[in-house]
Amino acid sequence: MKIEEFPIKGLFAFTPKQFGDGRGFFSETFNARAFEEVVPGVTFVQDNHSCSAPAGTIRGLHFQAEPNAQGKLVRCVRGRMLDVAVDIRPQSPGFGRVMQVELDAASGAMVFIPRGFAHGFCTLEDEVEVVYKTDAYYAPEQDRGIAHDDPAIGIDWPYPPEARTLSDKDRALPTLRELFPPVEAGVSRS
């Protein structure tokens, strides 16, 4: 498996090897021992699967607050998508920075997004399916999100606003600054 670390600490891409012949291909998409060598201490407890019908669908930017924060291992199993993670760790030097990467079913590449990041994606074609593992169970009382079009974050989405499909919930999400107000001099966020 090919493993790459992104410039924002904690984010990794995993691309499994595919072995093909006339029948198709075989690929080992997850191996707990190999994953533990790169990202120690993470145990996945839940698998999720979504399908987004129209191209231009944006889901996110979602996260769960403590004590139920989630790390995710995300993979596109049908079509293509732009995957996005935003560092929301207040004490991180990368706070507010964005990672964007295209994922597609053909390559099988996956992205690990640790706790402390908001996650979202935009479908690049119709009928995109995404599966992801989480290291904490869904906790609706801790469900949070950040506006996908927050100008302070500046995500370069591949579709103009009028061509994007979002849920009503995602359209109403607050900005990063509304969730994490700037720290005044000498005042801790903790």
Side-chain angles (χ1 to χ4, degrees), residues 110-167:
M110 299 170 279
V111 174
F112 175 68
I113 301 165
R115 295 175 182 204
F117 284 79
H119 172 251
F121 63 85
C122 179
T123 60
L124 301 176
E125 43 189 71
D126 293 339
E127 303 299 330
V128 171
E129 293 188 44
V130 178
V131 295
Y132 59 97
K133 297 178 173 301
T134 65
D135 67 354
Y137 295 104
Y138 176 64
E141 66 282 1
Q142 302 301 325
D143 190 14
R144 304 284 190 280
I146 298 168
H148 79 285
D149 57 356
D150 182 342
I153 298 173
I155 297 170
D156 185 20
W157 296 107
Y159 293 89
E162 65 276 6
R164 299 173 190 167
T165 302
L166 287 97
S167 69

